[in-house]
Amino acid sequence: MRVWAVANQKGGVGKTTSSIALAGLLADAGKRVIVVDLDPHGSMTSYFGHDPDSLAHSAFDLFLHQGVVPEGLPKQLLLPTSHEQIALLPSSTALATLERQSPGQNGLGLVVSKALAQLWGEFDYAIIDSPPLLGVLMVNALAASQQLVIPVQTEFLAVKGLERMVSTLAMINRSRKQALPYTIVPTLFDRRTQASMSTLRLLRNTYPDNLWQAYIPVDTRLRDASRAGQTPSQFDAKSRGTLAYRALLKHLLAHQLSAQVA
């Protein structure tokens, strides 16, 4: 299993859309994919038609056992999605209480890693949608992943959020055996606006080694896919947004292959 995390310390930059779009394209190619919703807002869970406010069981259950993940629990928590190749480990609003409960509990930073280890042979890819703040949930996402995708809206405030995210990643890498490779993905790009154009130039100048040189455009078909509860490629395989995510996936897979060869 390959594990990718999608994270940024700023909300509204396209994390959930990016997670689901990439998962959908991998699933279309016949890969078995698990999507993990670690955001207490539960946007990914809601996307696939499940209510994070009323779910009896969710990813929160993984954190109730002092850092131990009972055998078989992760599989019991999985829910179906609109794509037969994609399973969902859902979020619930209870995850928002985790930060208050976690002080003094050891081993909580590796709970998701332990859960995915139990599902290793069941799936080809895991894609983790993490919350927009540094805490035990984001730490879990980064600790579990082998590749980090950082969506960044092409506007100035999002770039400030990216600076915080890169700083956080540097801190996390100090506790990892191997630095976590990351790819910055410009999102919500609108070439008609000066803000998008200037932000894209800034990103290319500031992060030349880690920036995907293309971008995800503003595309109402992505919003329509969300409303329909389908992955973008299921809803409209030829939309501008889907084609952009297809190019991004090709880039990420090539990056993954070169890392494996190295």
Side-chain angles (χ1 to χ4, degrees):
M1 185 198 293
R2 301 294 303 176
V3 184
W4 297 351
V6 181
N8 194 325
Q9 285 175 244
K10 185 181 184 304
V13 298
K15 292 191 304 296
T16 300
T17 298
S18 297
S19 300
I20 294 171
L22 291 170
L25 289 166
L26 286 165
D28 293 345
K31 303 299 184 183
R32 300 165 300 167
V33 185
I34 176 175
V35 288
V36 181
D37 190 354
L38 291 186
D39 191 338
H41 291 113
S43 296
M44 175 183 277
T45 301
S46 298
Y47 190 113
F48 286 120
H50 304 284
D51 183 3
D53 292 324
S54 62
L55 285 176
H57 299 285
S58 70
F60 181 68
D61 294 39
L62 299 173
F63 294 88
L64 301 178
H65 308 280
Q66 304 297 314
V68 175
V69 178
E71 190 66 34
L73 177 60
K75 194 167 186 177
Q76 295 170 21
L77 298 175
L78 299 183
L79 295 176
T81 71
S82 60
H83 200 302
E84 63 179 13
Q85 291 286 100
I86 302 176
L88 169 69
L89 180 56
S91 171
S92 69
T93 49
L95 282 171
T97 69
L98 199 56
E99 301 299 333
R100 295 197 300 272
Q101 299 177 22
S102 59
Q105 291 195 51
N106 294 323
L108 285 191
L110 296 175
V111 166
V112 172
S113 296
K114 294 173 183 176
L116 291 178
Q118 292 190 27
L119 300 168
W120 209 256
E122 304 278 334
F123 297 95
D124 301 302
Y125 282 85
I127 297 184
I128 305 172
D129 188 15
S130 66
L133 75 164
L134 178 59
V136 68
L137 292 168
M138 183 180 285
V139 167
N140 265 270
L142 298 182
S145 67
Q146 300 150 329
Q147 166 77 26
L148 173 63
V149 176
I150 307 177
V152 181
Q153 183 180 356
T154 46
E155 57 97 17
F156 179 70
L157 290 179
V159 174
K160 301 303 289 185
L162 173 61
E163 292 172 4
R164 290 192 294 274
M165 187 67 223
V166 171
S167 176
T168 293
L169 183 58
M171 179 184 70
I172 295 289
N173 278 340
R174 286 195 284 272
S175 63
R176 288 176 59 105
K177 294 178 182 176
Q178 192 171 3
L180 179 61
Y182 67 95
T183 300
I184 299 166
V185 178
T187 60
L188 297 165
F189 179 79
D190 186 347
R191 65 170 54 255
R192 297 169 299 179
T193 69
Q194 183 60 37
S196 276
M197 297 296 289
S198 60
T199 302
L200 186 60
R201 282 195 298 271
L202 177 62
L203 289 171
R204 287 173 172 170
N205 290 333
T206 309
Y207 302 98
D209 297 330
N210 295 95
L211 181 75
W212 179 49
Q213 291 297 310
Y215 52 80
I216 307 297
V218 170
D219 184 358
T220 58
R221 301 297 279 171
L222 295 174
R223 187 169 62 243
D224 293 342
S226 170
R227 192 177 299 115
Q230 296 180 307
T231 69
S233 55
Q234 279 180 308
F235 185 79
D236 187 346
K238 296 184 178 180
S239 72
R240 291 186 305 131
T242 298
L243 293 176
Y245 277 114
R246 196 180 302 279
L248 172 61
L249 178 61
K250 184 177 180 180
H251 172 84
L252 293 172
L253 291 175
H255 188 278
Q256 173 182 292
L257 184 62
S258 64
Q260 289 172 340
V261 171

